[in-house]
Amino acid sequence: MTETKTPLKWQFKNIKACCSPMISNGTVFFGSYDGYVYALDYKTGKEIWRFIAGFSYNSFIALENEMVFIGSADGYIYALEHKTGKEIWKHLSTAEPNTGIVSNGVIYYGEREKYSGSGNMYIRALDCKTGKEKWQIKTEDIVMSLAISEGMI
């Protein structure tokens, strides 16, 4: 078997990404252990903007309608402008958000307890435009992943 090497197009500075990247409209978005969320040009790797999310770990990134949503270990969900990284709103959760998805103007996210035995584990739904909570469901355990299909989580 012959090994084929793909040429490297670009490389961003040596940082540790901590959540799966998202790509939209020629921009790559990812969180890092340095506490920032980065937006890079997909073709060149040039930094477009960065946003400090208040903690050294960002658990998820989700995208919808020119908005970027970040779950951070500081307990907040942040909504940012896609092109500038400007904060639109932030929502304080009762526990650490650790997974999130967006569908039809609603961000759904799961939580992980910050402190053992606190009992703060929920799936929550927020309005994407305002950050206001629409509903919550208490869970029996940590929510590690969410999926949505035909309006069902």
Side-chain angles (χ1 to χ4, degrees):
M1 184 177 202
T2 306
E3 183 177 328
T4 305
K5 291 189 178 183
T6 303
L8 183 64
K9 301 255 184 202
W10 54 263
Q11 182 175 349
F12 192 61
K13 62 185 174 180
N14 187 20
I15 59 171
K16 293 181 181 178
C18 60
C19 61
S20 297
M22 299 291 287
I23 300 171
S24 176
N25 296 327
T27 305
V28 179
F29 302 93
F30 65 94
S32 173
Y33 283 105
D34 66 1
Y36 286 93
V37 173
Y38 292 90
L40 308 180
D41 182 277
Y42 177 80
K43 291 182 180 176
T44 67
K46 182 180 176 185
E47 184 177 314
I48 299 168
W49 55 258
R50 73 172 80 175
F51 175 82
I52 186 73
F55 205 74
S56 65
Y57 174 75
N58 301 298
S59 56
F60 71 85
I61 292 182
L63 307 170
E64 185 168 275
N65 296 332
E66 301 298 314
M67 294 175 73
V68 179
F69 301 94
I70 303 154
S72 178
D74 67 357
Y76 283 95
I77 304 291
Y78 295 89
L80 310 177
E81 289 181 355
H82 180 278
K83 291 181 181 170
T84 65
K86 180 181 175 189
E87 183 179 306
I88 299 168
W89 55 257
K90 67 181 181 179
H91 172 86
L92 182 60
S93 189
T94 59
E96 182 182 327
N98 73 316
T99 185
I101 56 174
V102 180
S103 180
N104 296 321
V106 179
I107 180 162
Y108 304 93
Y109 72 96
E111 297 178 330
R112 165 176 51 218
E113 288 184 284
K114 286 185 182 180
Y115 309 104
S116 181
S118 70
N120 292 329
M121 293 177 290
Y122 291 88
I123 296 173
R124 297 181 189 273
L126 306 180
D127 181 278
C128 286
K129 289 182 182 176
T130 66
K132 302 289 184 206
E133 188 169 281
K134 295 173 83 65
W135 54 260
Q136 63 179 321
I137 298 171
K138 190 164 179 59
T139 64
E140 297 291 320
D141 207 347
I142 296 170
V143 179
M144 296 301 293
S145 181
L146 293 172
I148 191 163
S149 178
E150 299 177 9
M152 296 183 66
I153 298 177

